[in-house]
Amino acid sequence: MHFARFPRVRFAHLPTPFEPLERLSKHLGGPRLWIKRDDCTGLATGGNKTRKLEFLMGDALAQGADTVITQGATQSNHARQTAAAAAKLGLACHILLQDRTGFTSRDYTKNGNVILDLLCGAEIHRHGGAADMNIEMDALAKDLRAKGKKPYVIPGGGSNPVGALGYADVTMELVGQANAKGVKIDHVYLATGSAGTQAGFVVGMAALNSGIPTMGISVKQERAKQEADVFALAQRTEAHMGLSGVVKREHVVADSGYVGPGYGQPTPGMIEALKLLASLEGILLDPVYSGKAMAGLIDHVRQGRFAKDSDVVFIHTGGAVGIFAYLDTFESNA
Ligand SMILES: *Cc1c(COP(=O)(O)O)cnc(C)c1O
């Protein structure tokens, strides 16, 4: 893996810290839990999309773009990080936000990520739950081209083979940190949604021949569909990297037992996970992704899936500003 071959703009704060979760591990009675702080990548409160955007924005600039377009749910962390990256690079930014939860509170529709999109200078276009967001993005791109602009379209979540490079790259960083600390990683947990994070990660872990298994906790759809999406993107990502046959179907494992009623819908496990991490570690998870992923990890610990002396790493993918969109949820459960 040699990522200097790909266009890239550097704005992430890297490497992100790799730290023990001592009080959480003690509270749960083992295994040793560790956290990879990809919530600290630095771009307008950071998160996992920043690593993808280094490659996506590099590609946009290489193609001479002056405008970027992307889409996501109303409280999209990806949209917010894209708006911030575009601001830093002096590109115009159009964000298409889709209502995927039906939540109508002022906090949900305007606070959290949304106010940050606006502060970063992005133009927001709102769409209903039934819209085909790829068609909407293409229509806007066509419009802008007719006006003489050079738009670059970034898929939802930045999840294509270019964006996924960011999460193949992180595997070298994480395994290097673990080697330096003498931590033998037994399992890695992360949230999986639009699939680019897990796809890039499993390609990187396989290319390193690390032997470290990854568990993706699904935040929106059932296991078979999520695994199929991740595996398909992983195969396209390795091809983009000039590799073939590296990632195997069995490397892709997801668990959809923690989605609850649906994408962005709070669950008791998510609320418990946010409270535990905040009160024991001073770490803020988010209600949509990392909170549900941590709920899955905590439940797997309680099921006794890990030996007490094993080392399990949680990738914190960011999103804590989403807490401010869920004031109702946390106020009534604080
Ligand atoms: C987007 C996102 C994820 C999921 O990453 P995908 O690449 O979309 O699967 C996880 N956590 C947070 C906070 C995110 O914003």
Side-chain angles (χ1 to χ4, degrees):
M1 290 193 286
H2 189 30
F3 295 97
R5 294 187 180 127
F6 299 97
R8 182 174 188 174
V9 199
R10 301 208 175 243
F11 39 67
H13 295 183
L14 303 180
T16 58
F18 172 58
E19 299 170 336
L21 292 170
E22 281 169 14
R23 279 174 35 85
L24 181 67
S25 304
K26 192 163 171 238
H27 176 84
L28 296 173
R32 284 186 296 267
L33 298 173
W34 297 79
I35 193 162
K36 175 67 172 157
R37 295 294 304 271
D38 269 16
D39 57 320
C40 300
T41 51
L43 203 58
T45 72
N48 62 335
K49 303 314 181 307
T50 299
R51 287 187 192 268
K52 299 178 179 182
L53 284 163
E54 286 202 336
F55 291 99
L56 290 161
M57 289 300 193
D59 194 40
L61 294 184
Q63 294 187 23
D66 57 16
T67 302
V68 292
I69 300 172
T70 199
Q71 62 97 1
T74 304
Q75 284 295 330
S76 168
N77 301 299
H78 163 67
R80 181 249 310 157
Q81 288 162 83
T82 303
K88 187 167 174 64
L89 299 173
L91 303 175
C93 181
H94 292 264
I95 283 176
L96 283 65
L97 295 182
Q98 182 173 37
D99 174 19
R100 292 179 194 159
T101 61
F103 297 160
T104 55
S105 75
R106 186 162 178 269
D107 293 312
Y108 188 80
T109 56
K110 295 190 171 164
N111 205 338
N113 284 287
V114 180
I115 184 64
L116 303 188
D117 298 341
L118 292 171
L119 285 172
C120 290
E123 193 170 316
I124 292 181
H125 310 254
R126 304 257 188 182
H127 292 272
D132 181 321
M133 297 301 277
N134 290 326
I135 290 176
E136 298 295 343
M137 287 202 295
D138 287 344
L140 177 60
K142 198 168 161 223
D143 238 42
L144 292 170
R145 262 183 228 114
K147 291 178 182 147
K149 303 281 189 211
K150 291 184 183 138
Y152 180 91
V153 176
I154 298 174
S159 285
N160 62 13
V162 176
L165 292 177
Y167 271 85
D169 184 37
V170 75
T171 59
M172 294 195 291
E173 184 180 308
L174 174 60
V175 171
Q177 287 170 319
N179 288 343
K181 284 190 201 292
V183 177
K184 181 184 64 62
I185 300 174
D186 293 291
H187 222 122
V188 173
Y189 274 62
L190 45 76
T192 182
S194 67
T197 300
Q198 189 174 6
F201 197 81
V202 294
V203 170
M205 281 300 198
L208 289 179
N209 209 5
S210 68
I212 299 170
T214 304
M215 171 62 78
I217 304 290
S218 174
V219 300
K220 63 168 194 198
Q221 60 185 6
E222 48 106 13
R223 172 179 180 166
K225 180 82 180 64
Q226 188 65 19
E227 289 183 353
D229 286 358
V230 171
F231 186 53
L233 182 53
Q235 288 184 300
R236 289 167 60 215
T237 302
E238 69 170 27
H240 185 59
M241 291 164 63
L243 305 172
S244 85
V246 171
V247 68
K248 305 279 188 280
R249 178 62 186 78
E250 60 267 26
H251 292 146
V252 178
V253 181
D255 185 336
S256 51
Y258 305 92
V259 178
Y263 174 83
Q265 306 289 336
T267 62
M270 177 280 285
I271 293 166
E272 185 201 14
L274 259 83
K275 287 199 227 173
L276 277 179
L277 270 284
S279 63
L280 293 173
E281 301 283 352
I283 289 174
L284 302 174
L285 300 174
D286 85 282
V288 181
Y289 297 93
S290 54
K292 286 183 178 174
M294 182 56 86
L297 172 54
I298 289 170
D299 191 49
H300 288 187
V301 169
R302 288 177 176 153
Q303 289 171 17
R305 291 197 190 191
F306 309 106
K308 299 279 176 224
D309 63 347
S310 60
D311 291 274
V312 179
V313 177
F314 180 78
I315 313 262
H316 188 343
T317 43
V321 292
I323 291 170
F324 303 113
Y326 284 79
L327 180 63
D328 296 342
T329 301
F330 295 109
E331 201 175 34
S332 54
N333 286 284

